[in-house]
Amino acid sequence: MKIDKVVLLIAAAAVLFFVGRKLYFNPDIIQGDKAPNFTASTLANEAISLADLKGNYVLLDFWGSWCGPCRKESPELVKLYQKFHGQSFQDAENFEILSVGIEKDKNRWLDAIERDGLDWQYHVSDLKEFENEIAQLYGVRAIPSKFLINPDGLVIGVNQSLAQVDAILSDKLKATREMSALEAE
C-alpha cells in the first residue's frame, strides 16, 4: 500500500514538472493578441520597428546561431521566404521575416546568417541572449519561437510549424487569386 502511494506521488510530481515546464517555456504573447511594437537596429544599422511592417504578413522569428533546432529549420525558413516574399495578398502588401537573434557572439551570429542563406533584410539582436529586450517583451524563454502576425498587427499564430505557416499564407494567396478571378468576370 505504501508503494502505491509513493508511485502515485512520483507520477503526480512528474506530471506537475512537465506541465509547469511547458507553461514556463510558452511565450507570454498568444494568438489573438496585438503584437507589441518595438524598434531595433538591423545589420545595416537602420532602425526597424514592427509598426513599420504593418500592412504585411510578418513572421517574427526568435532563433540563435548556437541552437541546433533553429539551424535545422533554416532551409525551410528560406524556402518559405522565397515562396511568399514579393507576393500580393488581398489583405497585405507582402510577407516579411523579422529575425531576432538570441545571441551573445556577433561574429557567430553573422556567420550563421550567411551560411544558412537567411537573405531577408530584417535581422536584429542586442547580443544579450534571453535578456534581449524583444524576447522579454514577447516572453520568449525558448527558441526557436515564432509569431505569425497579420497585416493589422494581430498575432495569428504562435510557434506553428513552418508547414502550418505555409498553409495559412497559401490560403491567403488562394483567396486573393479567387477574388481576382471573380472581379475579372
Side-chain angles (χ1 to χ4, degrees), residues 7-67:
V7 169
L8 185 60
L9 282 173
I10 291 171
V15 167
L16 285 174
F17 171 79
F18 287 110
V19 169
R21 187 174 191 275
K22 179 160 179 56
L23 290 174
Y24 173 77
F25 284 114
N26 280 341
D28 293 343
I29 303 301
I30 60 172
Q31 187 170 333
D33 284 351
K34 181 89 172 144
N37 190 36
F38 58 85
T39 301
S41 290
T42 66
L43 293 174
N45 286 325
E46 296 174 353
I48 181 69
S49 76
L50 188 59
D52 294 339
L53 299 176
K54 192 170 184 177
N56 298 291
Y57 283 99
V58 177
L59 186 64
L60 183 59
D61 175 36
F62 292 85
W63 75 292
S65 62
W66 49 270
C67 168

Short mmCIF file of all heavy atoms in Angstrom, two decimals, residues 7-67:
data_model
loop_
_atom_site.label_atom_id
_atom_site.label_comp_id
_atom_site.label_asym_id
_atom_site.label_seq_id
_atom_site.Cartn_x
_atom_site.Cartn_y
_atom_site.Cartn_z
N VAL A 7 4.45 5.63 -5.63
CA VAL A 7 4.37 5.66 -7.09
C VAL A 7 3.42 6.77 -7.54
O VAL A 7 3.70 7.51 -8.48
CB VAL A 7 3.92 4.28 -7.64
CG1 VAL A 7 3.58 4.36 -9.12
CG2 VAL A 7 5.00 3.23 -7.39
N LEU A 8 2.29 6.90 -6.86
CA LEU A 8 1.33 7.94 -7.19
C LEU A 8 1.93 9.34 -6.99
O LEU A 8 1.75 10.23 -7.83
CB LEU A 8 0.06 7.77 -6.35
CG LEU A 8 -1.08 8.72 -6.67
CD1 LEU A 8 -1.54 8.55 -8.12
CD2 LEU A 8 -2.25 8.49 -5.72
N LEU A 9 2.65 9.53 -5.90
CA LEU A 9 3.30 10.82 -5.63
C LEU A 9 4.36 11.13 -6.69
O LEU A 9 4.46 12.27 -7.17
CB LEU A 9 3.93 10.83 -4.24
CG LEU A 9 2.96 11.05 -3.08
CD1 LEU A 9 3.66 10.88 -1.74
CD2 LEU A 9 2.32 12.41 -3.17
N ILE A 10 5.13 10.13 -7.07
CA ILE A 10 6.16 10.33 -8.10
C ILE A 10 5.50 10.67 -9.44
O ILE A 10 5.94 11.59 -10.14
CB ILE A 10 7.07 9.09 -8.23
CG1 ILE A 10 7.93 8.95 -6.96
CG2 ILE A 10 7.94 9.16 -9.48
CD1 ILE A 10 8.71 7.65 -6.88
N ALA A 11 4.45 9.96 -9.78
CA ALA A 11 3.74 10.23 -11.04
C ALA A 11 3.15 11.65 -11.03
O ALA A 11 3.24 12.38 -12.02
CB ALA A 11 2.65 9.20 -11.27
N ALA A 12 2.54 12.04 -9.91
CA ALA A 12 1.96 13.38 -9.81
C ALA A 12 3.04 14.45 -9.91
O ALA A 12 2.86 15.47 -10.58
CB ALA A 12 1.18 13.52 -8.50
N ALA A 13 4.17 14.23 -9.26
CA ALA A 13 5.28 15.18 -9.33
C ALA A 13 5.80 15.31 -10.75
O ALA A 13 6.10 16.41 -11.23
CB ALA A 13 6.40 14.77 -8.37
N ALA A 14 5.91 14.18 -11.45
CA ALA A 14 6.38 14.21 -12.84
C ALA A 14 5.42 14.98 -13.72
O ALA A 14 5.84 15.80 -14.55
CB ALA A 14 6.57 12.78 -13.36
N VAL A 15 4.13 14.75 -13.56
CA VAL A 15 3.13 15.47 -14.36
C VAL A 15 3.22 16.97 -14.08
O VAL A 15 3.24 17.79 -15.00
CB VAL A 15 1.72 14.93 -14.09
CG1 VAL A 15 0.65 15.85 -14.64
CG2 VAL A 15 1.55 13.53 -14.66
N LEU A 16 3.28 17.34 -12.80
CA LEU A 16 3.39 18.75 -12.44
C LEU A 16 4.65 19.37 -13.01
O LEU A 16 4.63 20.50 -13.51
CB LEU A 16 3.35 18.91 -10.92
CG LEU A 16 1.99 18.74 -10.27
CD1 LEU A 16 2.11 18.77 -8.75
CD2 LEU A 16 1.03 19.80 -10.76
N PHE A 17 5.76 18.64 -12.97
CA PHE A 17 7.02 19.15 -13.50
C PHE A 17 6.89 19.43 -14.99
O PHE A 17 7.23 20.51 -15.47
CB PHE A 17 8.16 18.15 -13.25
CG PHE A 17 9.42 18.52 -13.97
CD1 PHE A 17 10.25 19.50 -13.45
CD2 PHE A 17 9.78 17.90 -15.15
CE1 PHE A 17 11.41 19.86 -14.12
CE2 PHE A 17 10.94 18.24 -15.82
CZ PHE A 17 11.76 19.22 -15.30
N PHE A 18 6.38 18.47 -15.78
CA PHE A 18 6.31 18.64 -17.23
C PHE A 18 5.27 19.68 -17.64
O PHE A 18 5.50 20.45 -18.56
CB PHE A 18 6.08 17.29 -17.92
CG PHE A 18 7.31 16.43 -17.89
CD1 PHE A 18 7.35 15.29 -17.11
CD2 PHE A 18 8.43 16.78 -18.62
CE1 PHE A 18 8.50 14.51 -17.06
CE2 PHE A 18 9.58 16.00 -18.58
CZ PHE A 18 9.62 14.86 -17.81
N VAL A 19 4.15 19.73 -16.94
CA VAL A 19 3.14 20.76 -17.23
C VAL A 19 3.71 22.13 -16.88
O VAL A 19 3.59 23.09 -17.66
CB VAL A 19 1.82 20.48 -16.48
CG1 VAL A 19 0.88 21.67 -16.55
CG2 VAL A 19 1.15 19.23 -17.04
N GLY A 20 4.33 22.25 -15.73
CA GLY A 20 4.94 23.51 -15.32
C GLY A 20 6.02 23.97 -16.27
O GLY A 20 6.11 25.15 -16.63
N ARG A 21 6.84 23.03 -16.71
CA ARG A 21 7.91 23.33 -17.66
C ARG A 21 7.33 23.84 -18.97
O ARG A 21 7.79 24.83 -19.53
CB ARG A 21 8.76 22.09 -17.89
CG ARG A 21 9.99 22.32 -18.72
CD ARG A 21 10.84 21.04 -18.75
NE ARG A 21 12.12 21.30 -19.33
CZ ARG A 21 12.37 21.28 -20.64
NH1 ARG A 21 11.42 21.00 -21.48
NH2 ARG A 21 13.58 21.56 -21.09
N LYS A 22 6.30 23.16 -19.46
CA LYS A 22 5.66 23.58 -20.72
C LYS A 22 5.08 24.98 -20.58
O LYS A 22 5.25 25.83 -21.46
CB LYS A 22 4.59 22.58 -21.14
CG LYS A 22 3.89 22.98 -22.43
CD LYS A 22 3.22 21.83 -23.08
CE LYS A 22 2.49 22.20 -24.34
NZ LYS A 22 3.23 22.84 -25.37
N LEU A 23 4.38 25.23 -19.48
CA LEU A 23 3.79 26.55 -19.26
C LEU A 23 4.87 27.62 -19.15
O LEU A 23 4.71 28.72 -19.69
CB LEU A 23 2.91 26.54 -18.01
CG LEU A 23 1.61 25.76 -18.12
CD1 LEU A 23 0.91 25.70 -16.77
CD2 LEU A 23 0.71 26.34 -19.19
N TYR A 24 5.96 27.32 -18.48
CA TYR A 24 7.04 28.30 -18.32
C TYR A 24 7.65 28.66 -19.66
O TYR A 24 7.92 29.83 -19.94
CB TYR A 24 8.13 27.76 -17.39
CG TYR A 24 9.33 28.67 -17.33
CD1 TYR A 24 9.30 29.84 -16.57
CD2 TYR A 24 10.48 28.40 -18.06
CE1 TYR A 24 10.39 30.70 -16.53
CE2 TYR A 24 11.57 29.25 -18.03
CZ TYR A 24 11.52 30.40 -17.27
OH TYR A 24 12.59 31.25 -17.24
N PHE A 25 7.86 27.68 -20.53
CA PHE A 25 8.52 27.94 -21.80
C PHE A 25 7.58 28.47 -22.88
O PHE A 25 8.04 28.89 -23.94
CB PHE A 25 9.27 26.70 -22.29
CG PHE A 25 10.55 26.48 -21.55
CD1 PHE A 25 10.72 25.37 -20.73
CD2 PHE A 25 11.60 27.39 -21.64
CE1 PHE A 25 11.90 25.18 -20.03
CE2 PHE A 25 12.78 27.21 -20.95
CZ PHE A 25 12.93 26.09 -20.13
N ASN A 26 6.28 28.47 -22.64
CA ASN A 26 5.37 29.10 -23.60
C ASN A 26 5.57 30.61 -23.53
O ASN A 26 5.68 31.17 -22.44
CB ASN A 26 3.92 28.76 -23.28
CG ASN A 26 3.52 27.40 -23.77
OD1 ASN A 26 4.17 26.81 -24.63
ND2 ASN A 26 2.44 26.88 -23.22
N PRO A 27 5.57 31.26 -24.69
CA PRO A 27 5.71 32.73 -24.67
C PRO A 27 4.51 33.39 -24.01
O PRO A 27 3.44 32.79 -23.89
CB PRO A 27 5.80 33.10 -26.15
CG PRO A 27 5.72 31.86 -26.93
CD PRO A 27 5.49 30.72 -26.02
N ASP A 28 4.68 34.63 -23.62
CA ASP A 28 3.60 35.38 -22.97
C ASP A 28 2.56 35.87 -23.96
O ASP A 28 1.40 36.07 -23.59
CB ASP A 28 4.17 36.59 -22.22
CG ASP A 28 5.05 36.19 -21.04
OD1 ASP A 28 4.97 35.02 -20.59
OD2 ASP A 28 5.82 37.05 -20.57
N ILE A 29 2.94 36.07 -25.20
CA ILE A 29 2.02 36.56 -26.23
C ILE A 29 1.33 35.35 -26.85
O ILE A 29 1.98 34.36 -27.18
CB ILE A 29 2.78 37.34 -27.31
CG1 ILE A 29 3.55 38.51 -26.70
CG2 ILE A 29 1.84 37.81 -28.42
CD1 ILE A 29 2.69 39.52 -25.96
N ILE A 30 0.01 35.43 -26.98
CA ILE A 30 -0.74 34.31 -27.53
C ILE A 30 -1.52 34.75 -28.77
O ILE A 30 -1.66 35.95 -29.04
CB ILE A 30 -1.71 33.71 -26.49
CG1 ILE A 30 -2.73 34.75 -26.01
CG2 ILE A 30 -0.94 33.12 -25.30
CD1 ILE A 30 -3.83 34.19 -25.13
N GLN A 31 -2.04 33.76 -29.48
CA GLN A 31 -2.83 34.02 -30.67
C GLN A 31 -4.01 34.93 -30.31
O GLN A 31 -4.68 34.72 -29.31
CB GLN A 31 -3.33 32.70 -31.25
CG GLN A 31 -4.01 32.86 -32.58
CD GLN A 31 -4.27 31.53 -33.24
OE1 GLN A 31 -3.56 30.57 -33.02
NE2 GLN A 31 -5.30 31.49 -34.07
N GLY A 32 -4.22 35.95 -31.13
CA GLY A 32 -5.29 36.91 -30.90
C GLY A 32 -4.82 38.19 -30.24
O GLY A 32 -5.53 39.20 -30.28
N ASP A 33 -3.63 38.16 -29.64
CA ASP A 33 -3.08 39.36 -29.01
C ASP A 33 -2.61 40.34 -30.08
O ASP A 33 -2.22 39.95 -31.18
CB ASP A 33 -1.86 39.03 -28.14
CG ASP A 33 -2.22 38.40 -26.81
OD1 ASP A 33 -3.41 38.36 -26.46
OD2 ASP A 33 -1.29 37.94 -26.11
N LYS A 34 -2.63 41.61 -29.74
CA LYS A 34 -1.97 42.64 -30.57
C LYS A 34 -0.47 42.45 -30.37
O LYS A 34 0.01 42.35 -29.25
CB LYS A 34 -2.42 44.03 -30.10
CG LYS A 34 -1.83 45.15 -30.89
CD LYS A 34 -2.70 45.46 -32.06
CE LYS A 34 -2.21 46.73 -32.74
NZ LYS A 34 -2.36 46.67 -34.17
N ALA A 35 0.27 42.36 -31.47
CA ALA A 35 1.72 42.18 -31.37
C ALA A 35 2.36 43.44 -30.80
O ALA A 35 2.17 44.53 -31.35
CB ALA A 35 2.30 41.87 -32.75
N PRO A 36 3.08 43.32 -29.69
CA PRO A 36 3.73 44.51 -29.12
C PRO A 36 4.75 45.10 -30.09
O PRO A 36 5.53 44.38 -30.71
CB PRO A 36 4.43 43.97 -27.87
CG PRO A 36 3.76 42.68 -27.56
CD PRO A 36 3.31 42.13 -28.87
N ASN A 37 4.72 46.40 -30.22
CA ASN A 37 5.67 47.08 -31.10
C ASN A 37 7.03 47.21 -30.41
O ASN A 37 7.13 47.23 -29.18
CB ASN A 37 5.14 48.47 -31.47
CG ASN A 37 5.97 49.10 -32.57
OD1 ASN A 37 6.45 48.42 -33.48
ND2 ASN A 37 6.14 50.40 -32.50
N PHE A 38 8.06 47.30 -31.21
CA PHE A 38 9.42 47.51 -30.74
C PHE A 38 10.21 48.15 -31.86
O PHE A 38 9.79 48.13 -33.02
CB PHE A 38 10.08 46.18 -30.32
CG PHE A 38 10.12 45.17 -31.42
CD1 PHE A 38 11.15 45.17 -32.36
CD2 PHE A 38 9.11 44.22 -31.55
CE1 PHE A 38 11.16 44.24 -33.39
CE2 PHE A 38 9.13 43.29 -32.57
CZ PHE A 38 10.16 43.31 -33.50
N THR A 39 11.34 48.71 -31.52
CA THR A 39 12.27 49.25 -32.50
C THR A 39 13.64 48.69 -32.19
O THR A 39 14.03 48.60 -31.03
CB THR A 39 12.29 50.80 -32.45
OG1 THR A 39 10.96 51.28 -32.70
CG2 THR A 39 13.24 51.37 -33.48
N ALA A 40 14.36 48.29 -33.25
CA ALA A 40 15.70 47.74 -33.09
C ALA A 40 16.53 48.13 -34.31
O ALA A 40 16.00 48.61 -35.31
CB ALA A 40 15.63 46.22 -32.96
N SER A 41 17.83 47.91 -34.23
CA SER A 41 18.73 48.20 -35.34
C SER A 41 19.01 46.94 -36.13
O SER A 41 19.32 45.89 -35.56
CB SER A 41 20.06 48.76 -34.83
OG SER A 41 19.86 50.05 -34.31
N THR A 42 18.92 47.06 -37.46
CA THR A 42 19.22 45.94 -38.34
C THR A 42 20.74 45.82 -38.52
O THR A 42 21.51 46.64 -38.03
CB THR A 42 18.59 46.15 -39.73
OG1 THR A 42 19.22 47.28 -40.36
CG2 THR A 42 17.09 46.37 -39.62
N LEU A 43 21.14 44.81 -39.28
CA LEU A 43 22.56 44.63 -39.58
C LEU A 43 23.13 45.83 -40.31
O LEU A 43 24.33 46.12 -40.20
CB LEU A 43 22.76 43.37 -40.42
CG LEU A 43 22.46 42.05 -39.73
CD1 LEU A 43 22.56 40.89 -40.70
CD2 LEU A 43 23.41 41.84 -38.56
N ALA A 44 22.29 46.53 -41.07
CA ALA A 44 22.73 47.72 -41.81
C ALA A 44 22.66 48.98 -40.93
O ALA A 44 22.76 50.10 -41.44
CB ALA A 44 21.89 47.90 -43.06
N ASN A 45 22.49 48.79 -39.63
CA ASN A 45 22.37 49.88 -38.66
C ASN A 45 21.22 50.83 -38.98
O ASN A 45 21.31 52.03 -38.74
CB ASN A 45 23.69 50.65 -38.53
CG ASN A 45 24.71 49.87 -37.75
OD1 ASN A 45 24.37 49.14 -36.82
ND2 ASN A 45 25.97 49.99 -38.14
N GLU A 46 20.14 50.27 -39.51
CA GLU A 46 18.94 51.05 -39.76
C GLU A 46 17.90 50.65 -38.72
O GLU A 46 17.76 49.47 -38.40
CB GLU A 46 18.40 50.77 -41.16
CG GLU A 46 19.35 51.22 -42.26
CD GLU A 46 18.89 50.80 -43.64
OE1 GLU A 46 17.90 50.05 -43.76
OE2 GLU A 46 19.54 51.23 -44.61
N ALA A 47 17.18 51.63 -38.24
CA ALA A 47 16.13 51.34 -37.26
C ALA A 47 14.95 50.70 -37.97
O ALA A 47 14.53 51.14 -39.04
CB ALA A 47 15.70 52.62 -36.55
N ILE A 48 14.44 49.64 -37.38
CA ILE A 48 13.23 48.98 -37.88
C ILE A 48 12.30 48.78 -36.68
O ILE A 48 12.74 48.38 -35.61
CB ILE A 48 13.51 47.63 -38.59
CG1 ILE A 48 12.24 46.99 -39.13
CG2 ILE A 48 14.23 46.66 -37.67
CD1 ILE A 48 11.61 47.71 -40.26
N SER A 49 11.06 49.12 -36.88
CA SER A 49 10.07 48.82 -35.84
C SER A 49 9.05 47.89 -36.45
O SER A 49 8.85 47.86 -37.67
CB SER A 49 9.42 50.10 -35.31
OG SER A 49 8.47 50.59 -36.21
N LEU A 50 8.42 47.12 -35.61
CA LEU A 50 7.38 46.23 -36.10
C LEU A 50 6.27 47.04 -36.77
O LEU A 50 5.71 46.61 -37.78
CB LEU A 50 6.83 45.37 -34.95
CG LEU A 50 5.87 44.27 -35.35
CD1 LEU A 50 6.52 43.29 -36.32
CD2 LEU A 50 5.38 43.53 -34.12
N ALA A 51 6.00 48.22 -36.25
CA ALA A 51 4.97 49.09 -36.83
C ALA A 51 5.30 49.46 -38.28
O ALA A 51 4.40 49.68 -39.09
CB ALA A 51 4.79 50.34 -35.98
N ASP A 52 6.59 49.53 -38.62
CA ASP A 52 7.00 49.83 -40.00
C ASP A 52 6.53 48.76 -40.97
O ASP A 52 6.40 49.01 -42.17
CB ASP A 52 8.52 49.94 -40.12
CG ASP A 52 9.11 51.10 -39.36
OD1 ASP A 52 8.38 52.06 -39.06
OD2 ASP A 52 10.33 51.04 -39.05
N LEU A 53 6.29 47.55 -40.47
CA LEU A 53 5.91 46.43 -41.32
C LEU A 53 4.40 46.19 -41.35
O LEU A 53 3.94 45.21 -41.93
CB LEU A 53 6.65 45.17 -40.87
CG LEU A 53 8.17 45.26 -40.96
CD1 LEU A 53 8.82 44.00 -40.39
CD2 LEU A 53 8.63 45.52 -42.37
N LYS A 54 3.65 47.08 -40.70
CA LYS A 54 2.20 46.96 -40.72
C LYS A 54 1.72 46.96 -42.16
O LYS A 54 2.26 47.66 -43.01
CB LYS A 54 1.55 48.10 -39.93
CG LYS A 54 0.09 47.85 -39.67
CD LYS A 54 -0.49 48.85 -38.69
CE LYS A 54 -1.94 48.47 -38.43
NZ LYS A 54 -2.57 49.31 -37.48
N GLY A 55 0.72 46.15 -42.44
CA GLY A 55 0.24 46.01 -43.81
C GLY A 55 0.82 44.78 -44.49
O GLY A 55 0.43 44.45 -45.61
N ASN A 56 1.75 44.10 -43.82
CA ASN A 56 2.37 42.88 -44.33
C ASN A 56 2.06 41.73 -43.38
O ASN A 56 1.79 41.93 -42.21
CB ASN A 56 3.90 43.02 -44.37
CG ASN A 56 4.35 44.12 -45.30
OD1 ASN A 56 4.23 44.01 -46.50
ND2 ASN A 56 4.87 45.18 -44.72
N TYR A 57 2.17 40.52 -43.91
CA TYR A 57 2.26 39.37 -43.01
C TYR A 57 3.71 39.34 -42.55
O TYR A 57 4.63 39.50 -43.36
CB TYR A 57 1.91 38.06 -43.73
CG TYR A 57 0.43 37.90 -43.90
CD1 TYR A 57 -0.18 38.21 -45.12
CD2 TYR A 57 -0.37 37.49 -42.85
CE1 TYR A 57 -1.54 38.10 -45.27
CE2 TYR A 57 -1.74 37.38 -43.00
CZ TYR A 57 -2.32 37.69 -44.21
OH TYR A 57 -3.67 37.59 -44.37
N VAL A 58 3.91 39.17 -41.26
CA VAL A 58 5.27 39.16 -40.70
C VAL A 58 5.45 37.90 -39.87
O VAL A 58 4.61 37.58 -39.02
CB VAL A 58 5.53 40.40 -39.81
CG1 VAL A 58 6.91 40.34 -39.17
CG2 VAL A 58 5.35 41.69 -40.62
N LEU A 59 6.53 37.20 -40.13
CA LEU A 59 6.93 36.09 -39.27
C LEU A 59 8.05 36.61 -38.39
O LEU A 59 9.14 36.92 -38.88
CB LEU A 59 7.40 34.88 -40.08
CG LEU A 59 7.70 33.64 -39.25
CD1 LEU A 59 6.43 33.12 -38.56
CD2 LEU A 59 8.29 32.54 -40.13
N LEU A 60 7.75 36.77 -37.11
CA LEU A 60 8.73 37.21 -36.13
C LEU A 60 9.40 35.95 -35.60
O LEU A 60 8.77 35.13 -34.94
CB LEU A 60 8.04 37.99 -35.00
CG LEU A 60 8.91 38.59 -33.92
CD1 LEU A 60 9.94 39.56 -34.49
CD2 LEU A 60 8.03 39.29 -32.88
N ASP A 61 10.67 35.79 -35.94
CA ASP A 61 11.41 34.55 -35.70
C ASP A 61 12.51 34.78 -34.67
O ASP A 61 13.45 35.53 -34.93
CB ASP A 61 12.01 34.08 -37.04
CG ASP A 61 12.90 32.86 -36.88
OD1 ASP A 61 12.58 31.99 -36.06
OD2 ASP A 61 13.91 32.78 -37.62
N PHE A 62 12.39 34.14 -33.52
CA PHE A 62 13.43 34.18 -32.48
C PHE A 62 14.28 32.93 -32.66
O PHE A 62 13.75 31.81 -32.63
CB PHE A 62 12.80 34.20 -31.08
CG PHE A 62 12.07 35.47 -30.78
CD1 PHE A 62 10.75 35.65 -31.18
CD2 PHE A 62 12.70 36.50 -30.10
CE1 PHE A 62 10.07 36.83 -30.90
CE2 PHE A 62 12.02 37.69 -29.81
CZ PHE A 62 10.70 37.85 -30.22
N TRP A 63 15.58 33.11 -32.83
CA TRP A 63 16.46 31.98 -33.12
C TRP A 63 17.86 32.29 -32.58
O TRP A 63 18.13 33.40 -32.12
CB TRP A 63 16.51 31.72 -34.62
CG TRP A 63 17.33 32.74 -35.37
CD1 TRP A 63 17.03 34.06 -35.57
CD2 TRP A 63 18.60 32.54 -35.96
NE1 TRP A 63 18.02 34.69 -36.26
CE2 TRP A 63 19.01 33.78 -36.52
CE3 TRP A 63 19.44 31.45 -36.09
CZ2 TRP A 63 20.22 33.93 -37.19
CZ3 TRP A 63 20.64 31.61 -36.76
CH2 TRP A 63 21.02 32.84 -37.30
N GLY A 64 18.76 31.32 -32.68
CA GLY A 64 20.14 31.52 -32.28
C GLY A 64 21.09 30.71 -33.15
O GLY A 64 20.76 29.60 -33.57
N SER A 65 22.26 31.25 -33.40
CA SER A 65 23.27 30.55 -34.20
C SER A 65 23.74 29.28 -33.50
O SER A 65 24.19 28.35 -34.15
CB SER A 65 24.47 31.48 -34.45
OG SER A 65 25.08 31.84 -33.21
N TRP A 66 23.60 29.23 -32.21
CA TRP A 66 24.05 28.11 -31.38
C TRP A 66 22.96 27.07 -31.17
O TRP A 66 23.17 26.03 -30.55
CB TRP A 66 24.50 28.64 -30.01
CG TRP A 66 23.48 29.58 -29.41
CD1 TRP A 66 23.41 30.94 -29.58
CD2 TRP A 66 22.36 29.22 -28.62
NE1 TRP A 66 22.31 31.44 -28.92
CE2 TRP A 66 21.65 30.41 -28.31
CE3 TRP A 66 21.87 28.02 -28.10
CZ2 TRP A 66 20.50 30.42 -27.54
CZ3 TRP A 66 20.72 28.05 -27.34
CH2 TRP A 66 20.05 29.24 -27.06
N CYS A 67 21.76 27.33 -31.70
CA CYS A 67 20.58 26.48 -31.47
C CYS A 67 20.43 25.48 -32.61
O CYS A 67 20.10 25.86 -33.74
CB CYS A 67 19.35 27.39 -31.37
SG CYS A 67 17.76 26.55 -31.44
#
